[in-house]
Amino acid sequence: MKILTRNINRPNPAHIDSYLVNEGYVALPRALNDMTPEEVIDEVRFSRLRGRGGAGFPAGMKWDFASRDTRKPKYIICNADEGEPGTFKDRVLIEKDPHAILEGMAIAGYAVGAEKGFIYIRGEYPEGARILERAIAQAESRSFLGKNILNSGFDFSVTVHRGAGAYICGEETALIESLEGKRGQSRIRPPFPVNVGYRNHPTVVNNVETLASVAPIILRGGAWYAGIGTVECPGTKLYSVSGHVVRPGVYELPMGVTLRELIFEHAGGMRDNRAFKAAFPGGASSSCLDESELDVRLDFNALAAAGSMLGSGAVMVLDDTTDMVKATHVLIKFFEHESCGKCTPCREGLFWIRRILDSILDGKGTEADLDLLLDICDGIQSTSFCGLGEASVNPVVSTIKKFRHEYMAHIGNRVTRRTDVEAAS
Amino acid sequence: MMVRLTIDDKQIMVDAHMNILEASKKLGIEIPTFCYQARLSELGACRMCVVEVEGMGKLQTACTLAVAEGMVVQTGNARIKKARRMMLEFLLINHPLECTVCDASGECTLQDFAFKYGSAETRFTGEKRVLRDQIISPLINRNLNRCIQCKRCVRVCDEIQGVTALGMSYRGADTIVGPFMDKSLDCEYCSHCIWSCPVGAITSRAMKYRARTWEMDKAEAICPFCSCGCTLHYNHKDNVVHRVTHTEGRGINQGSLCSKGYFGYDVINHPERITSPMVRNAEGVLRTVTWEAALTTVAGKMGQIKDDNGGSSIGGIVSDRLTNEDLYLFQKLMRSVYSTNNVDTPSGMWSRAVLPVLEDRLGVFAATNSTDELNYVDALLIVGCDVTVSHPITGLRVKHAIHRGGLVTEINPRRTALSRLAKRSLTVAVGKELALVKGMIAVIIEEGLYDSEAVKDYKKLSDLEFSVKEKDLNVIARNTDVSVDDIVQTAREFAGAGKAAIIFGETAALHSGGDLLINALIDLLMLTGKLGQEGFGLYPVIASTNFQGTVDMGIAPDRLPGHVEVSSATERKKFEKAWNAKVPKDTGMNALEMIQAAADGNLKALYLAGVNPLATFPGGKVVAEALKTVEFLVVQELFLTETASMADVVLPAGTLAEKNGTLTSMDRRIQRTQKAIDSVGLSRPDWRIFSDLGVMGGENGMKYVNAAEVLDEIAQTVPFYSGISQHILADNGLQWPFSREDAREKFHEGYLGTRHLLMDGVPLDKRIFSAVSGWDTHGADSQYPMTLVFEDLLFHSGSFTRYSESLNKLASEATLLMNPQTGIGLDVPDGSTVRTVSAQGEVSVAVSYSEDLALGVLFMPRHFANAPASALMVPGRNRDAETAVVRVKVVKV
Amino acid sequence: MMKSTEIFSARESKEMEDILSRYEASASAILPLLHYVQSIQGHLSEEALTFVAEFIGVPHVRTFEVATYYTMLFTEPVGRHLVQVCRNLSCHVNGAENVLEALKKELGVDVGKTSDDGLFTLVEVECIGACDHAPAVMIDEDLHRKVSEDSVNRILGSYREKV
């Protein structure tokens, strides 16, 4: 089923003419001419579209909150700061179907009463930023963006804003801080951006994939969309599959596909016919799944029930050659590097975890270190300021739980640290 | 709205805006926190204050969570204790355990919390992160490894001080606190970062390794450096003041201090303090003598001169930094023992320029309103001063008002630290301010923006209207180099503001037409009805610490204590009765007249207490002549200044840290200052010296055991100080006038006296507009075409601070500031030496170009030895003297 | 304040005015301005950070705070080309470490350092969203997919030729 990826295999897909061929910019005039903003919001609510950035918050509800706030101006921000390791699905949409995003933004703007949109795109996607800017120019030239869109009286303009390398800016309040010209660090919530966002005004922040889903929903109706995927998690999802699979790439599938189906039916199975060992189904922030969990459905609820999370749908697949302790070390170094430094547990705790993993990989760990790691993880998880810290420990906790023997292989039988032994001898 | 919630099984009703942390505090429950401070924006970063809230799965930070109806909160269960222990363990991973040498040890929050909430063992075994650090300033030390990233210093610098010199740089575990490019600190050295730091990451270099925090005793005193009247703590050990600390929640300043208040204490135990009396011997050399010998010499010589030439041949000039008790006894000594009204103080120049206008127009003798009311003004005009420099803590009030959205307009010949923050900064040459103010009045009348209710019983409104209509706004705009729009907007904002006030300073008042300008400012306040209520009023500001005390205590040739006139027989009689002595009836000489008379040989004895006319009085030559010529010169001082070294007798006096007494702030608040250390060397408090001399002069009414006895007498002789005592002043001080009964019964409940004057409005007989004529108050002089403004510096006030080694590290030399456009004809490069010449004399000083100045206006600090202001200031009687604003020309060397 | 014309060409000044004009709140223009100035000057010098701060009217320390926060902004000089090797998991399990070692050897520098000829600065970066073509290396704004130890030499060569 191709909804989000319907246009990506066309020649010159990013050009507005390619987009227009396949019902491009049909939803926008329909919303503007035939629907009230409330009706647009209702349609999105009926679709039960859930935010594709990771949290899975119902998009229609977000729009509704923002539309009810009477303060002007309001803003639509497209969150294109795709930074979760293993995720590259937004890059595909940005590069291959930018107008779908712009159309979704314009509809969102109409629905909530915003006249200004920003696309906050990660700095590492310079080509994507150029493509979006070209697309904006094309859309403006055809009156799909700008003043008095299609003579409807509705104004909506979009500015592309490049990030500069900070994973945390994918978190919506950090993104807003960054857009305001500050260090991108999360804000205290509540208040939420729908009321107090960019420049303290009502702001809707939606993921690229979420916004790209909007035009099809308006065209075919919320009920149609709600019928796809699972009841709790309708629609299709873009899964970014990477790691030890034959065909890494982005796959659009109805929500609820199992991990096994994704790997073996779509991504060509395990590379070199090696055995599956584990997968992080929602990027670096998710808990890993092992072989016994291959039949878990990859949607928000099923993965949460399995103790992991869907996140942005970044499925990193690892085969039996993988050292899970090293893999965890890579992910923790990532989080340590990306910790913004604002709150104590995330800043200091990740530093500490990384040091312990260093020492385990260095052959100096002890079994007691594993308990200490879990205690530190608990401390970080229960007190961190934002989701980064909270989720950062998932790989550690899940790999200790599921692959403790691999840690023990590094540790050996030591109960005290080698340094202590050396000092004693 | 109030809500009811339960914290640790106790119920409480609190305001709905309150957070859990504050609500718990009300119940006496301590929730530990590092990053939270009520005065700062909320951050929620340290995570130390986590609590458990029923129905919320995650732990919540008490500092960021607002209370809500029915909320049930636990602040100390096992889960929370574990989280706190973990937080401390996290912080201590990288915090160096060098408490043994850390200046914060003993008052370190991390130390205290680790003791109270932490664990005895640490599970971290690796090497601590060591961050590269470097010296960021001469007075403020930063230690990055100790920093716990609470961001209090960064927030206080930005949100309270408005300087934004500190920031958080880099990311994650590498995050550091520091200045731009992590180089040197370019700031006001206000010390708030030191104060706000909960650990030893930001400390005072001046204090480093001097004493442990717990070894020092604290004495609550009033800051000696300006008339804000800030409360501070002198921390002392072994009779040495080792540091000053902030007094959280106390006094006018509520703890805030400025660079002078915080770092300037090193004058107290300065090695060059005079420690014993000296008398010039037959060979003309100053020799150390006993107090007995010195006082006998003074008493004998004064008595002889009085007998031979009459009291009018004796004069005394006293510092405006001294306590009310000192000042009162000084004038009593001069009047009742030496029979002279030749009594004055350096700020007498200011008093004579400003007070007669205030008295005439409003019937007041001081600023009408309290400085803390400035926090909440909606509009403010600041004319001819930089209040952030002359009165840094009052400046904070202005910054606070701006932070709240108050519309501040600055009218000054140069841009200031406020310019960047204020709504608008109008850089206007000296003398052009009047035109601007009249332009504003014209707009207000024209647009009907005046307070018609307030002005209905005023006389001469039509005169006012006529006086401002003579010139078109466009002409005013052209002449002042300010846009019509700025004039109109300023006028509208001021008239339309709920609360609006005016501050003016020396540049405005102390130039030839300054009185016209003050009158116009009063007209503006009257017209818009901005008098007699909280948040309204007029604030004349001069740095001199106890300037108001000198006014109240009768340090003037024509006024007795209590603002009453010497010429009044009734008033004289009152004092004669109280003092049991004659009070001379003729108005005396002011300071400048005394200097002239001494130079002419007509004044035989001059008593200088804490003043250094050679450095700070106009006319360097005539002052030197006067000091040389006068038959008997007594100098009572802390240091052997250029003036003291010419004295016949030198009497060593003490600093504020060495005596008890009271001071009166610029907003009439009489406050108690307490002795921290015993007198340095053989020095004595000033009041004691005056008292001893009085007794030796045969006046038993001059005998006092302590300063409190002097205050008792002030309480009996000065009506609006009536009933005052050190006891009553213990808590907050009192703003005169006050109710005796309320003061006695409610002083400990926060009774402050009169917050603002003119509560019943402007007196009926004074409801008249002055409608001043003229537009330019500082006419051109073809010979001296430029205007030199002497400025206070943020780091120095008066010649006193020159003895602070710390402050000298921040600034110790004068340069001449000039707009490069002004300097075009001069054609000299930045930094080269030029001659600055006035009608009085000249100095050679390096020029420094700055576009912040109005054309034709120059700025120079007044108190550095390399460019003594006294050489340029032009002496004269009252208004024709040029002390703050001098006409000069600048010549290429 | 420094005038833009003192350090930038007329075209560059115009571009910066354009960037500023895109935002209602001038502070929002910090990142795009820093990106732009870095693209001209290679890194963000003290003068550049001072200029940008004054250009948009914020305290100087603000631009320093921002410039040091984001990994793509450099306050120290870097080589003409920035070689960014992804070190995250998908690239890691596909041999990113070997690619990094090959680059270190080829350039004769450690991570974070600039080659002696001043042409290349080698850095490790987190996921650059090219996991489907791991291991990935980004040189300046060019993405190189499925890089191997053997292709390192050829890739660097193409940049050397540009000089």
Side-chain angles (χ1 to χ4, degrees):
Chain A
M1 175 165 268
K2 303 278 184 222
I3 298 172
L4 293 157
T5 54
R6 63 190 184 280
N7 292 322
I8 64 173
N9 290 323
R10 287 171 190 286
N12 198 6
H15 196 277
I16 193 165
D17 290 336
S18 297
Y19 184 64
L20 288 168
V21 168
N22 191 6
E23 295 186 307
Y25 289 115
V26 173
L28 177 62
R30 181 171 301 174
L32 295 179
N33 299 331
D34 305 340
M35 299 168 81
T36 63
E38 293 74 29
E39 284 167 348
V40 173
I41 292 173
D42 283 344
E43 211 56 54
V44 175
R45 277 212 302 218
F46 296 151
S47 78
R48 286 188 275 112
L49 169 65
R50 293 174 64 173
R52 297 305 200 235
F57 191 82
M61 208 187 279
K62 214 180 224 187
W63 291 15
D64 189 40
F65 288 145
S67 76
R68 283 169 198 275
D69 199 315
T70 52
R71 289 180 317 130
K72 293 265 186 174
K74 299 181 189 180
Y75 299 96
I76 303 294
I77 298 176
C78 170
N79 184 345
D81 193 53
E82 179 175 58
E84 183 67 38
T87 317
F88 44 96
K89 48 129 188 146
D90 292 344
R91 192 196 74 211
V92 170
L93 289 178
I94 290 163
E95 293 181 358
K96 304 283 172 77
D97 203 8
H99 287 284
I101 304 165
L102 297 177
E103 188 173 10
M105 288 181 76
I107 293 169
Y110 173 70
V112 306
E115 294 176 358
K116 179 74 204 173
F118 292 97
I119 301 174
Y120 187 104
I121 183 169
R122 65 183 309 211
E124 292 86 345
Y125 287 174
E127 185 56 27
R130 282 191 285 271
I131 289 168
L132 284 168
E133 273 172 354
R134 279 198 295 271
I136 290 167
Q138 290 163 3
E140 282 175 347
S141 72
R142 314 271 177 105
S143 191
F144 296 125
L145 288 177
K147 292 266 175 215
N148 191 19
I149 292 173
L150 301 169
N151 278 323
S152 63
F154 172 61
D155 301 339
F156 191 76
S157 66
V158 176
T159 297
V160 176
H161 188 92
R162 284 183 67 201
Y167 165 72
I168 184 59
C169 290
E171 191 279 325
E172 60 179 6
T173 61
L175 182 153
I176 290 169
E177 287 279 296
S178 178
L179 182 59
E180 288 181 355
K182 302 177 203 157
R183 293 157 65 80
Q185 296 184 320
S186 303
R187 290 180 178 174
I188 295 164
R189 294 180 305 177
F192 293 94
V194 286
N195 300 116
V196 183
Y198 178 59
R199 305 179 70 204
N200 293 331
H201 279 266
T203 303
V204 167
V205 184
N206 281 148
N207 176 257
V208 167
E209 188 185 340
T210 314
L211 287 164
S213 304
V214 168
I217 288 171
I218 297 301
L219 273 183
R220 296 193 164 65
W224 161 78
Y225 189 84
I228 303 165
T230 68
V231 176
E232 299 282 341
C233 310
T236 57
K237 173 82 194 88
L238 296 184
Y239 295 96
S240 312
V241 186
S242 66
H244 293 134
V245 292
V246 174
R247 286 194 302 273
V250 172
Y251 295 91
E252 181 177 16
L253 295 165
M255 277 268 197
V257 65
T258 66
L259 180 58
R260 188 186 301 278
E261 287 162 357
L262 182 64
I263 296 173
F264 294 96
E265 288 176 25
H266 300 283
M270 298 302 292
R271 198 194 301 163
D272 303 333
N273 281 318
R274 299 222 52 117
F276 171 89
K277 181 189 263 186
F280 290 92
S285 312
S286 61
S287 295
C288 68
L289 302 177
D290 64 17
E291 203 191 344
S292 69
E293 294 164 299
L294 270 169
D295 292 312
V296 169
R297 290 190 177 280
L298 302 179
D299 66 36
F300 292 113
N301 298 34
L303 277 168
S308 186
M309 65 186 205
L310 176 62
S312 55
V315 183
M316 299 193 287
V317 182
L318 306 173
D319 68 18
D320 58 355
T321 63
T322 313
D323 180 334
M324 292 305 286
V325 183
K326 270 192 187 160
T328 306
H329 188 248
V330 165
L331 297 180
I332 279 299
K333 270 176 81 172
F334 162 73
F335 285 115
E336 186 195 11
H337 180 255
E338 297 299 340
S339 170
C340 80
K342 178 172 176 166
C343 78
T344 307
C346 180
R347 180 184 67 242
E348 305 292 340
L350 288 169
F351 168 87
W352 194 0
I353 290 178
R354 198 261 300 158
R355 283 290 189 86
I356 294 172
L357 291 176
D358 283 349
S359 104
I360 290 175
L361 285 173
D362 210 16
K364 293 176 184 166
T366 69
E367 192 166 3
D369 281 342
L370 300 185
D371 296 332
L372 177 56
L373 278 174
L374 290 175
D375 207 32
I376 298 169
C377 288
D378 177 57
I380 297 174
Q381 195 153 38
S382 59
T383 59
S384 282
F385 188 96
C386 78
L388 188 155
E390 243 178 279
S392 67
V393 300
N394 287 334
V396 182
V397 175
S398 60
T399 53
I400 291 180
K401 188 173 158 203
K402 294 173 186 173
F403 298 96
R404 192 178 177 96
H405 57 280
E406 295 201 18
Y407 284 88
M408 290 311 295
H410 284 281
I411 289 166
N413 296 322
R414 260 185 317 285
V415 285
T416 51
R417 281 163 191 277
R418 180 180 290 179
T419 47
D420 299 336
V421 177
E422 282 164 358
S425 61
Chain B
M1 198 179 75
M2 301 294 279
V3 296
R4 184 188 299 274
L5 72 159
T6 309
I7 304 176
D8 290 349
D9 305 325
K10 291 176 203 153
Q11 288 219 335
I12 187 172
M13 284 276 277
V14 293
D15 189 280
H17 295 293
M18 199 173 259
N19 62 40
I20 300 290
L21 198 99
E22 295 288 351
S24 302
K25 204 179 283 174
K26 278 194 163 256
L27 280 170
I29 297 167
E30 179 195 71
I31 297 178
T33 174
F34 291 105
C35 71
Y36 176 76
Q37 274 197 315
R39 85 190 80 201
L40 303 176
S41 62
E42 44 176 31
L43 188 70
C46 76
R47 318 306 284 174
M48 189 64 194
C49 71
V50 286
V51 295
E52 196 176 280
V53 181
E54 215 172 83
M56 295 185 176
K58 250 200 111 174
L59 293 176
Q60 303 289 318
T61 40
C63 68
T64 60
L65 186 67
V67 295
E69 181 64 37
M71 204 177 240
V72 179
V73 182
Q74 291 292 330
T75 76
N77 62 24
R79 187 177 168 209
I80 294 158
K81 282 180 179 157
K82 176 164 186 255
R84 285 175 184 165
R85 208 160 47 233
M86 199 77 217
M87 247 15 73
L88 288 162
E89 202 171 357
F90 283 147
L91 288 173
L92 289 168
I93 286 174
N94 286 311
H95 186 87
L97 298 179
E98 56 193 20
C99 309
T100 46
V101 292
C102 178
D103 275 332
S105 191
E107 48 194 34
C108 168
T109 314
L110 181 58
Q111 204 177 39
D112 293 346
F113 286 173
F115 182 80
K116 201 165 173 184
Y117 304 106
S119 157
E121 56 154 358
T122 171
R123 294 177 291 176
F124 179 75
T125 51
E127 276 179 30
K128 288 175 187 286
R129 171 182 66 231
V130 177
L131 293 168
R132 176 186 57 91
D133 208 342
Q134 58 192 18
I135 290 168
I136 56 165
S137 91
L139 291 181
I140 295 176
N141 241 356
R142 180 191 61 180
N143 186 318
L144 285 177
N145 293 314
R146 293 178 190 163
C147 177
I148 59 165
Q149 319 267 1
C150 69
K151 216 179 161 185
R152 271 156 61 157
C153 55
V154 171
R155 284 177 289 160
V156 81
C157 186
D158 181 42
E159 297 166 14
I160 306 291
Q161 201 64 23
V163 171
T164 324
L166 290 172
M168 307 293 284
S169 310
Y170 302 94
R171 193 169 82 190
D174 299 327
T175 307
I176 61 167
V177 161
F180 179 58
M181 297 310 287
D182 206 38
K183 287 186 172 170
S184 55
L185 204 45
D186 178 14
C187 74
E188 298 181 353
Y189 287 88
C190 68
S191 77
H192 285 172
C193 54
I194 299 173
W195 181 26
S196 64
C197 183
V199 293
I202 301 193
T203 52
S204 159
R205 291 188 77 183
M207 156 70 188
K208 204 170 182 188
Y209 306 139
R210 294 296 174 89
R212 306 315 311 254
T213 53
W214 56 86
E215 295 175 328
M216 293 179 283
D217 291 320
K218 292 183 180 182
E220 190 171 277
I222 299 300
C223 177
F225 293 114
C226 85
S227 54
C228 284
C230 297
T231 300
L232 52 74
H233 275 148
Y234 284 124
N235 291 223
H236 56 95
K237 175 196 153 194
D238 300 337
N239 217 42
V240 173
V241 174
H242 287 289
R243 67 167 179 175
V244 159
T245 46
H246 309 82
T247 55
E248 178 79 53
R250 299 275 297 159
I252 287 172
N253 49 323
Q254 296 287 296
S256 291
L257 291 173
C258 70
S259 56
K260 292 184 285 257
Y262 186 79
F263 289 111
Y265 64 87
D266 56 348
V267 295
I268 298 166
N269 296 96
H270 194 286
E272 289 169 27
R273 280 279 301 273
I274 313 170
T275 51
S276 65
M278 290 181 276
V279 172
R280 199 169 294 279
N281 65 12
E283 290 81 45
V285 181
L286 276 176
R287 277 289 155 80
T288 299
V289 296
T290 62
W291 269 107
E292 171 89 42
L295 293 174
T296 309
T297 307
V298 176
K301 191 71 186 171
M302 287 293 198
Q304 180 214 322
I305 290 173
K306 182 178 125 182
D307 291 346
D308 294 353
N309 303 84
S312 60
S313 65
I314 299 174
I317 308 172
V318 65
S319 165
D320 32 38
R321 278 185 285 104
L322 303 189
T323 64
N324 290 327
E325 291 78 355
D326 297 331
L327 297 171
Y328 178 84
L329 284 198
F330 180 77
Q331 61 85 36
K332 185 177 176 186
L333 173 71
M334 298 311 288
R335 291 188 161 115
S336 72
V337 182
Y338 301 145
S339 305
T340 179
N341 280 319
N342 298 335
V343 179
D344 203 6
T345 181
S347 56
M349 283 294 300
W350 163 264
S351 310
R352 283 185 293 281
V354 174
L355 291 184
V357 184
L358 296 192
E359 186 182 4
D360 176 43
R361 299 293 309 282
L362 299 168
V364 300
F365 290 88
T368 59
N369 289 54
S370 301
T371 47
D372 57 2
E373 292 173 18
L374 290 168
N375 275 320
Y376 302 100
V377 290
D378 302 306
L380 180 68
L381 280 188
I382 304 179
V383 187
C385 60
D386 181 354
V387 73
T388 62
V389 159
S390 64
H391 297 76
I393 302 305
T394 303
L396 283 187
R397 310 288 170 247
V398 177
K399 288 173 181 173
H400 184 267
I402 293 172
H403 204 69
R404 286 184 61 258
L407 306 170
V408 174
T409 298
E410 188 178 50
I411 302 172
N412 200 44
R414 72 173 290 192
R415 287 171 61 82
T416 71
L418 276 182
S419 307
R420 186 172 59 81
L421 308 169
K423 169 86 177 175
R424 67 178 69 74
S425 175
L426 309 177
T427 308
V428 178
V430 178
K432 309 274 191 200
E433 305 93 335
L434 178 61
L436 268 191
V437 174
K438 287 177 75 170
M440 286 177 63
I441 291 173
V443 171
I444 288 166
I445 294 176
E446 171 77 29
E447 299 188 359
L449 303 174
Y450 54 89
D451 184 339
S452 46
E453 186 59 28
V455 300
K456 73 177 193 296
D457 49 359
Y458 270 78
K459 292 182 191 130
K460 290 188 161 183
L461 179 58
S462 55
D463 291 25
L464 181 66
E465 191 171 353
F466 181 76
S467 75
V468 298
K469 284 221 165 143
E470 181 192 334
K471 278 195 182 160
D472 182 73
L473 266 192
N474 289 304
V475 176
I476 296 174
R478 206 162 44 241
N479 288 349
T480 55
D481 204 16
V482 168
S483 73
V484 169
D485 186 57
D486 274 330
I487 301 173
V488 172
Q489 292 304 331
T490 309
R492 287 179 185 160
E493 285 163 14
F494 192 85
K499 292 178 175 179
I502 297 175
I503 297 174
F504 72 90
E506 285 181 277
T507 314
L510 289 182
H511 69 267
S512 44
D515 54 334
L516 301 180
L517 178 57
I518 303 170
N519 273 302
L521 292 172
I522 293 173
D523 278 353
L524 177 60
L525 288 167
M526 290 175 160
L527 183 68
T528 52
K530 310 292 189 205
L531 285 164
Q533 283 184 40
E534 190 182 320
F536 288 179
L538 186 64
Y539 297 84
V541 297
I542 180 168
S544 315
T545 312
N546 200 21
F547 143 76
Q548 191 63 47
T550 66
V551 174
D552 299 350
M553 294 301 118
I555 306 300
D558 56 343
R559 300 272 179 166
L560 292 164
H563 312 155
V564 298
E565 294 188 23
V566 162
S567 56
S568 158
T570 329
E571 296 295 345
R572 279 204 313 281
K573 196 154 283 166
K574 214 181 81 190
F575 281 96
E576 285 173 345
K577 193 169 163 224
W579 296 346
N580 192 25
K582 290 293 282 180
V583 173
K585 70 175 197 306
D586 297 329
T587 293
M589 289 185 271
N590 66 38
L592 300 182
E593 291 165 338
M594 284 186 244
I595 294 293
Q596 191 60 53
D600 296 343
N602 297 329
L603 192 80
K604 304 292 182 193
L606 188 56
Y607 194 153
L608 302 176
V611 290
N612 181 7
L614 268 181
T616 59
F617 276 33
K621 269 176 263 168
V622 71
V623 175
E625 186 63 30
L627 300 185
K628 223 178 308 167
T629 310
V630 73
E631 188 179 324
F632 187 55
L633 178 64
V634 181
V635 177
Q636 186 166 311
E637 256 300 356
L638 301 172
F639 296 97
L640 200 61
T641 61
E642 41 283 61
T643 300
S645 53
M646 295 181 74
D648 296 296
V649 179
V650 176
L651 304 174
T655 62
L656 270 189
E658 298 152 66
K659 60 189 169 192
N660 291 316
T662 60
L663 294 158
T664 306
S665 70
M666 62 180 269
D667 58 355
R668 300 170 280 104
R669 203 194 290 210
I670 310 159
Q671 303 189 96
R672 183 175 75 156
T673 184
Q674 287 178 296
K675 178 180 148 175
I677 58 170
D678 292 334
S679 294
V680 169
L682 296 176
S683 70
R684 289 179 179 176
D686 294 86
W687 66 265
R688 166 96 192 275
I689 302 171
F690 302 142
S691 164
D692 288 347
L693 284 171
V695 173
M696 291 181 89
E699 197 50 69
N700 284 325
M702 286 291 286
K703 190 169 163 58
Y704 303 88
V705 176
N706 53 34
E709 276 191 15
V710 185
L711 189 62
D712 288 345
E713 184 172 319
I714 293 171
Q716 281 158 25
T717 55
V718 179
F720 49 94
Y721 280 61
S722 175
I724 210 154
S725 70
Q726 294 217 349
H727 174 62
I728 283 178
L729 295 176
D731 272 13
N732 302 295
L734 276 175
Q735 282 172 288
W736 62 254
F738 48 84
S739 139
R740 263 188 92 140
E741 289 67 38
D742 286 348
R744 197 170 52 234
E745 283 154 29
K746 297 193 204 154
F747 74 90
H748 51 276
E749 296 165 18
Y751 176 71
L752 274 172
T754 303
R755 306 286 292 132
H756 57 266
L757 302 173
L758 306 173
M759 300 252 262
D760 303 321
V762 175
L764 287 175
D765 61 333
K766 298 197 182 292
R767 297 189 182 181
I768 310 164
F769 290 105
S770 74
V772 294
S773 57
W775 295 86
D776 193 333
T777 56
H778 189 67
D781 180 327
S782 56
Q783 203 184 345
Y784 301 106
M786 297 185 193
T787 304
L788 172 62
V789 176
F790 286 114
E791 58 175 352
D792 290 307
L793 285 184
L794 183 56
F795 306 129
H796 283 280
S797 62
S799 57
F800 178 37
T801 56
R802 282 178 7 202
Y803 291 93
S804 167
E805 309 270 331
S806 290
L807 296 174
N808 283 341
K809 285 180 183 161
L810 301 178
S812 60
E813 242 188 18
T815 54
L816 183 70
L817 287 183
M818 184 188 293
N819 189 305
Q821 296 296 315
T822 309
I824 279 182
L826 200 57
D827 189 30
V828 296
D830 199 26
S832 53
T833 301
V834 293
R835 286 169 55 216
T836 306
V837 186
S838 76
Q840 175 61 30
E842 66 171 84
V843 298
S844 290
V845 62
V847 68
S848 171
Y849 290 118
S850 162
E851 287 180 351
D852 289 342
L853 276 65
L855 291 182
V857 177
L858 316 169
F859 268 78
M860 198 171 84
R862 67 174 104 222
H863 16 66
F864 290 122
N866 70 317
S870 60
L872 293 174
M873 293 194 282
V874 184
R877 284 185 66 92
N878 294 333
R879 281 220 162 269
D880 50 343
E882 295 181 1
T883 54
V885 177
V886 182
R887 290 184 177 84
V888 296
K889 63 180 174 187
V890 177
V891 186
K892 190 172 173 175
V893 178
Chain C
M1 139 172 198
M2 277 182 287
K3 297 195 172 54
S4 63
T5 47
E6 289 168 20
I7 25 179
F8 298 102
S9 72
R11 191 186 57 79
E12 289 161 351
S13 300
K14 169 75 171 53
E15 176 66 26
M16 288 188 286
E17 293 289 351
D18 283 352
I19 291 171
L20 189 59
S21 72
R22 279 177 223 156
Y23 297 91
E24 296 158 84
S26 55
S28 282
I30 287 188
L31 268 191
L33 286 168
L34 293 180
H35 269 307
Y36 182 71
V37 173
Q38 181 167 283
S39 75
I40 298 169
Q41 303 190 333
H43 78 288
L44 296 166
S45 63
E46 179 170 355
E47 292 70 34
L49 292 177
T50 306
F51 170 78
V52 172
E54 293 182 359
F55 187 66
I56 58 180
V58 297
H60 292 180
V61 76
R62 288 271 182 268
T63 51
F64 184 60
E65 286 185 309
V66 169
T68 54
Y69 184 78
Y70 298 94
T71 49
M72 293 173 69
L73 301 176
F74 296 88
T75 53
E76 302 287 339
V78 290
R80 183 174 300 180
H81 301 292
L82 193 64
V83 182
Q84 305 156 81
V85 184
C86 176
R87 55 161 295 277
N88 215 294
L89 191 55
S90 296
C91 288
H92 172 82
V93 298
N94 279 293
E97 272 181 32
N98 299 337
V99 171
L100 182 68
E101 286 309 316
L103 281 164
K104 280 191 197 169
K105 207 169 135 206
E106 180 60 31
L107 296 172
V109 294
D110 236 334
V111 173
K113 297 285 188 274
T114 301
S115 59
D116 288 343
D117 56 9
L119 276 184
F120 299 100
T121 297
L122 179 64
V123 295
E124 277 187 293
V125 293
E126 296 299 347
C127 185
I128 49 180
C131 324
D132 44 350
H133 304 290
V137 173
M138 203 153 143
I139 301 185
D140 303 331
E141 298 195 342
D142 313 327
L143 185 63
H144 298 274
R145 302 170 165 89
K146 295 191 177 162
V147 179
S148 67
E149 294 160 75
D150 306 330
S151 61
V152 159
N153 207 350
R154 181 180 49 76
I155 293 170
L156 291 179
S158 67
Y159 288 87
R160 289 186 171 123
E161 279 164 23
K162 284 185 195 166
V163 179

